[in-house]
Amino acid sequence: MTSAHRKVTESVRGSTLKAIRLFGDIVPGMRFDVIVVGGGMIGLTTAIVLAESGRRVRVWSRDLVENTTSAVAGGLWWPYRIRPESRIGGWSLHSLDVMTGLAERPDETGVRMVDGTHLGLRMSELGAWAAEVPGLRPAASDELPAGFDIGLRARTPLIDMPVHLRYLRDRLTAAGGGIEVRALATLAQADGAAPTVMNCTGLGARELVPDPDVRPVQGQLVLAENPGVDEWFVAADPHSADTVYALPQPYGLILGGTAREDAWGVVPDPATAEAIVKRCARIDPRLADAKILDHRVGLRPSRSSARIEAERLPGGALCVHNYGHGGAGITVSWGCAQDAVRLMESSREAADT
């Protein structure tokens, strides 16, 4: 019995081990090569790299894809609040290359190449990776809004995340992979389901690993009716709790934002939302009277350094960790997926010798 979109009406209530299979072929008794734990952007891209290389893959996700942290992300490609500096360039540039290709089919993938400006930023403040971003250049004075005398112009991927996550889900199932809603209390519960487990749980890694170095950075944004903004702008100090950005999406204009460390709340704060709109309106006065459509809050999975490392679970399965990407999970997703899969391969080869 096979179906790319078969639902099994098996309740997850009352047990962390029961599951609802949402997408993928159902093959009784099938053993998987890899279980990917986590169904956000990092988990899905990792699973796709695995499945498209011929592995039998299942994603176990606590949440539906559309309910993950990735679903409420603004969707702009740019390395933000992520370490280590020595690796983010390679991860980001590989992802940029993949996403630029996906932008050739925006209706299908949700990826568009959009012009915009990073305000208050110089090339010298960026890493060596910046020299390899096509078209990234200092902004001319007439390209800057009042109050800013420096900035960078770029044409980068801007992703409609609900559309993109559906695209990734469908691409995974087309490659033979599948997704289950399955909540785990520990990674050891995945031990035995496959010889390899990929841990792509983001903030969930704090409890699952457990890893106390994983901390939330709360981001609140406002969705407004777009008064005619066709380019993005960002003025984000990585050390500040308040940021400013406007990202034009097909469904509205995303205004942001915040970066509150160790804040766990996911309920939008009205005063914060009002302050966000005011900050954005100082840059583009049209936004002062924009109709507000929605309010959203997400928790970025921050860590002192993104973790791509391998270890053995108690039952013997190889576990490759791929989490802790801060505010750049979208930006580094394909690069980190590639590195995580390479680490899996080298670790298994070393174990076989």
Side-chain angles (χ1 to χ4, degrees), residues 119 144-148 224-229 233 244 246 253 255 276-291:
L119 301 167
L144 296 168
F148 291 90
E225 196 170 85
N226 194 335
V229 177
F233 66 75
V244 185
L253 184 66
L255 306 178
I276 288 171
V277 174
K278 285 183 178 179
R279 290 198 299 272
C280 292
R282 292 191 191 105
I283 295 174
D284 189 333
R286 292 175 295 175
L287 303 180
D289 299 318
K291 180 181 179 181

Side-chain angles (χ1 to χ4, degrees), residues 46-77:
T46 301
I48 288 169
V49 172
L50 289 162
E52 291 184 348
S53 65
R55 275 91 171 188
R56 295 167 296 178
V57 182
R58 281 296 179 270
V59 173
W60 289 359
S61 180
R62 181 191 60 193
D63 302 304
L64 298 172
V65 168
E66 58 268 28
N67 293 335
T68 61
T69 298
S70 299
V72 297
L76 181 68
W77 180 95

Side-chain angles (χ1 to χ4, degrees), residues 5 62-63 83 104 119 128 162 164 172 198 203 229 298 345:
H5 299 78
R62 181 191 60 193
D63 302 304
R83 301 179 187 89
E104 296 176 1
L119 301 167
H164 190 58
L172 173 61
M198 290 283 196
L203 192 59
V229 177
E345 293 170 342

Side-chain angles (χ1 to χ4, degrees), residues 84-114:
E85 292 287 342
S86 61
R87 302 187 71 181
I88 60 175
W91 291 337
S92 301
L93 291 169
H94 179 70
S95 300
L96 175 61
D97 185 58
V98 173
M99 292 171 181
T100 300
L102 295 179
E104 296 176 1
R105 309 187 309 279
D107 292 340
E108 175 191 358
T109 68
V111 184
R112 297 170 296 130
M113 300 299 290
V114 180

Side-chain angles (χ1 to χ4, degrees), residues 123 133-140 143 151-154:
M123 289 287 285
V133 177
L136 180 62
R137 60 171 177 83
E143 295 175 311
L152 298 176
R153 291 284 293 170

